[in-house]
Amino acid sequence: QVHLVQSGAEVKKPGASVKVSCKASGYTFTDDYIHWVRQAPGQGLEWMGWINPKNDGTNYAERFQGRVTMARDTSISTAYMELTRLTSDDTAVYYCARDGAHSVGAVWAFDIWGQGTMVIVSS
Amino acid sequence: SYDLTQPLSVSVALGQTARITCGGDNIGSKNVHWYQQKPGQAPVLVIYEDTNRPSGIPERFSGSNSGNTATLTISGAQAGDEADYYCQMGVFGGGTKLTVL
């Protein structure tokens, strides 16, 4: 069965950085892009960017450019998302999600999601 | 950037048909995906590329897309369908809260 399992909740101070991991299982990790999406409390979904695990290519949403870095370790089928210079506005649940280009044949359809990682930014 | 507009809320009587719209400039020429999200859970893909259901999604979920509006239709709405629904085409719509009365 296909799974994405994320790291646990984090509490950070303003100005700090956070790194969230997303471990894939049940499929070939390098076959599908991994996207990162966040959701602030009571708010909607916000796409942050993607990483291509095959070649480490990335594409970030404009509003996160310069603050986000996505990476992967193919040896352990794990993707990472690091966000720097945190503010209280970054308090949110962060999700990784698999692109369904291979599984359902639809690019940008996120067919498998991680369970989410709560990041709280507070002084 | 491309904006997707959804109503904040939609209500439907138990067993009736709910329609959730997603508006965008010439959205009918693009592929739209739909997600269901229940409280405290990750989103679930319910429709991809306008009209297709992933395996395991009930047949009562269907989609259409034409002109400036994409629509998610839930036929015979059940209490368990109460959730937030998001359209997506790269970016996400703002989400619609579906209430089953």
Side-chain angles (χ1 to χ4, degrees):
Chain A
Q1 220 175 13
V2 177
H3 290 291
L4 296 174
V5 178
Q6 298 182 224
S7 49
E10 304 263 11
V11 179
K12 296 292 183 180
K13 294 205 181 300
S17 300
V18 69
K19 191 171 186 177
V20 179
S21 68
C22 170
K23 183 172 177 59
S25 62
Y27 75 101
T28 302
F29 178 61
T30 50
D31 276 353
D32 298 298
Y33 287 24
I34 292 289
H35 296 261
W36 289 89
V37 176
R38 77 176 186 180
Q39 186 172 38
Q43 303 300 308
L45 302 171
E46 180 177 28
W47 177 77
M48 300 180 67
W50 55 250
I51 182 167
N52 179 353
K54 180 171 288 185
N55 61 17
D56 209 25
T58 55
N59 180 34
Y60 304 140
E62 188 173 342
R63 66 168 291 180
F64 298 105
Q65 292 271 2
R67 270 208 315 140
V68 70
T69 302
M70 295 177 188
R72 91 305 191 217
D73 184 338
T74 57
S75 69
I76 55 172
S77 300
T78 299
Y80 302 91
M81 187 283 300
E82 183 175 26
L83 191 62
T84 62
R85 303 195 303 275
L86 294 170
T87 72
S88 57
D89 289 343
D90 295 315
T91 294
V93 176
Y94 289 76
Y95 294 101
C96 59
R98 186 181 76 166
D99 193 289
H102 283 96
S103 55
V104 295
V107 178
W108 284 92
F110 303 164
D111 68 328
I112 302 294
W113 292 67
Q115 83 276 20
T117 296
M118 182 74 219
V119 175
I120 296 172
V121 183
S122 173
S123 55
Chain B
S1 64
Y2 192 85
D3 291 331
L4 297 175
T5 303
Q6 298 183 237
L8 284 176
S9 63
V10 168
S11 297
V12 62
L14 186 68
Q16 297 304 300
T17 296
R19 294 180 179 84
I20 299 171
T21 58
C22 176
D25 185 30
N26 198 27
I27 196 174
S29 67
K30 309 176 195 304
N31 289 322
V32 176
H33 315 304
W34 290 91
Y35 301 85
Q36 175 194 71
Q37 186 182 32
K38 296 181 180 180
Q41 298 183 20
V44 173
L45 180 69
V46 294
I47 293 289
Y48 64 93
E49 290 188 336
D50 300 338
T51 61
N52 301 289
R53 277 179 292 106
S55 62
I57 300 302
E59 289 184 12
R60 64 178 183 275
F61 288 87
S62 63
S64 62
N65 188 11
S66 178
N68 294 319
T69 305
T71 302
L72 173 68
T73 300
I74 306 172
S75 304
Q78 301 180 3
D81 298 331
E82 197 162 275
D84 293 327
Y85 290 85
Y86 294 89
C87 61
Q88 181 231 356
M89 195 205 68
V91 296
F92 289 93
T96 298
K97 181 175 181 58
L98 177 68
T99 301
V100 180
L101 303 172

